Amino acid sequence: MAAGEKPLNEVQFLTVAEVASVMRVSKMTVYRLVHSGHLPAIRVGRSFRVPEQAVHEYLRDSYVGVETA
């Protein structure tokens, strides 16, 4: 386990629908992010589960701030 990682029993996983709701995007957008590798996920049967922390990190890293002169 790498530094700063939680044990798997403490990781909260979200469904694609839950991720879409948090990000306020469509489920198809979430599937595209997962398939492109931008959003890590695990496959459970025919569905995906995304670690909640990964969603927060993706949003934080994608944040576009406005610079003032």
Side-chain angles (χ1 to χ4, degrees):
M1 185 165 42
E5 282 188 19
K6 291 183 179 180
L8 281 179
N9 62 342
E10 293 180 14
V11 176
Q12 295 294 315
F13 290 97
L14 302 175
T15 65
V16 168
E18 291 170 332
V19 174
S21 177
V22 167
M23 295 177 68
R24 293 183 177 245
V25 297
S26 71
K27 290 192 296 185
M28 184 54 67
T29 298
V30 177
Y31 282 117
R32 286 184 187 122
L33 290 170
V34 168
H35 287 291
S36 69
H38 288 99
L39 195 58
I42 60 168
R43 191 166 202 137
V44 179
R46 294 179 60 191
S47 61
F48 289 98
R49 296 292 185 269
V50 180
E52 185 176 25
Q53 188 62 34
V55 176
H56 296 296
E57 289 172 9
Y58 176 81
L59 291 173
R60 185 174 33 257
D61 293 344
S62 299
Y63 184 79
V64 178
V66 178
E67 292 185 31
T68 57

